[in-house]
Amino acid sequence: MTFSIFLFVAGILILYFGAEWTVKGSSNIATFLGIRPIIIGLTIVSIGTSLPELVVSVVAAINKSKDIALGNIIGSNIANIGLVLGLSAMIKPLKISTPTIKKEIPIMIGVSLLLYVLAMDSNISQTDGIILFIGIVLFIIYCVYDAKHNNESREGIAGDLDSRGKKKHSMSYEFLITTAGLIGIVFGAKLMVDSAVFIARTFGFSELFIGMTIVAVGTSLPELATSIVAAYKGKMEISVGNVIGSNIFNICMVIGLVSIISPFAVKQLTLNREFLIMLGFSILVLPLAMHNKTLTRAKGVLFFLGYGWFIWFTI
């Protein structure tokens, strides 16, 4: 038992540093290639911080632990808003741009609603997975189109994550860091899933519970670290955009790929409870962001308390 807990903690640490290296390396590669920072922020960084959820969920699905795969995504999306966005706003009030309020937040809500609708038949099929995966392709196309046709600031995420990387390191070094990060993510995810299943069965908790709480928080660490650092540095759009982008990728890319690999059933209780809580958290972001276009510390506390309620409710 003690060894399993040790493996779980080791998995979280490896997962975290693997994701950090992946994000840093891929962002610097994008800088070398001359990709605009807004594209990096909306695509590469969001995908990078969503890699733990992707790997954990795919490994869990392959190991027939589908409740952990589904619970991980639902729990991670709730954690991204309640825990990550909440703590970031508590550190420093987050200014929200008009385009984010009009475009990205509604897209996040729409994607969450789409998942709920697809799961209403108590099943997420391969066809549903294909629909979700097409969604992420369309979102990436939207990001590229929006970046090309709008005059965005060039002060962006690549410089924030590693502003000295371009001067100090070569492209081959950044590629090596990215590859090492991906290997760390895969290895860390395997440790987490295996130990989480053992712990769940030992204590009599369901795998869905473990996936929605401990595993979800563990795989949200990259989002948490990135958003808190961004908020501390005053990069508000990075902090908010990271959460929104990660939630969209979690649903469309992660659940999409997992259900294509292995379709899974959705319990009616989960659909009527956890799915609706995730949808509620997503919807709540919009009116709070629209009010003065700022997520104040008080709103951050509200998100954080909401996440605390979710953990208490799940227990």
Side-chain angles (χ1 to χ4, degrees), residues 151-223:
N151 295 321
E152 301 278 0
S153 167
R154 287 185 174 271
E155 180 184 4
I157 230 166
D160 290 325
L161 291 179
D162 191 8
S163 60
R164 297 170 295 176
K166 188 175 180 180
K167 295 179 181 179
K168 285 195 170 185
H169 304 303
S170 64
M171 172 77 90
S172 58
Y173 173 85
E174 302 300 346
F175 181 78
L176 180 63
I177 287 295
T178 303
T179 304
L182 290 171
I183 293 173
I185 287 172
V186 173
F187 184 63
K190 184 73 168 80
L191 286 180
M192 284 185 68
V193 172
D194 289 347
S195 56
V197 171
F198 181 83
I199 293 171
R201 290 171 179 168
T202 300
F203 282 98
F205 289 120
S206 69
E207 293 181 359
L208 182 63
F209 168 80
I210 294 294
M212 284 188 179
T213 54
I214 302 174
V215 177
V217 172
T219 54
S220 291
L221 284 176
E223 287 92 342

Side-chain angles (χ1 to χ4, degrees), residues 50-59 72-73 250 253-255 257-258:
S50 292
L51 281 177
E53 286 90 346
L54 174 62
V55 178
V56 166
S57 295
V58 169
V59 171
N72 175 43
I73 296 306
N250 282 346
M253 183 171 69
V254 180
I255 293 185
L257 283 177
V258 168

Side-chain angles (χ1 to χ4, degrees), residues 232-308:
Y232 180 76
K233 291 182 176 181
K235 305 298 182 182
M236 313 303 180
E237 284 296 300
I238 295 175
S239 187
V240 176
N242 179 43
V243 169
I244 295 173
S246 293
N247 278 17
I248 293 172
F249 279 108
N250 282 346
I251 292 175
C252 291
M253 183 171 69
V254 180
I255 293 185
L257 283 177
V258 168
S259 56
I260 289 173
I261 294 172
S262 179
F264 51 88
V266 178
K267 297 175 182 177
Q268 193 63 39
L269 182 61
T270 303
L271 183 68
N272 294 337
R273 193 170 59 183
E274 283 81 9
F275 267 73
L276 289 178
I277 292 174
M278 181 189 71
L279 184 58
F281 267 83
S282 301
I283 293 173
L284 183 61
V285 175
L286 186 58
L288 293 183
M290 291 175 64
H291 179 253
N292 295 329
K293 296 182 180 179
T294 305
L295 292 179
T296 62
R297 287 188 173 91
K299 295 174 183 176
V301 171
L302 179 62
F303 280 129
F304 188 75
L305 290 177
Y307 184 70

Side-chain angles (χ1 to χ4, degrees), residues 70-107:
L70 181 60
N72 175 43
I73 296 306
I74 296 175
S76 291
N77 279 19
I78 294 173
N80 282 344
I81 295 175
L83 183 63
V84 177
L85 204 58
L87 286 177
S88 299
M90 288 165 65
I91 290 174
K92 184 174 290 187
L94 305 174
K95 294 287 185 180
I96 313 295
S97 69
T98 300
T100 300
I101 294 174
K102 291 184 176 180
K103 297 176 182 178
E104 283 78 27
I105 294 177
I107 290 175

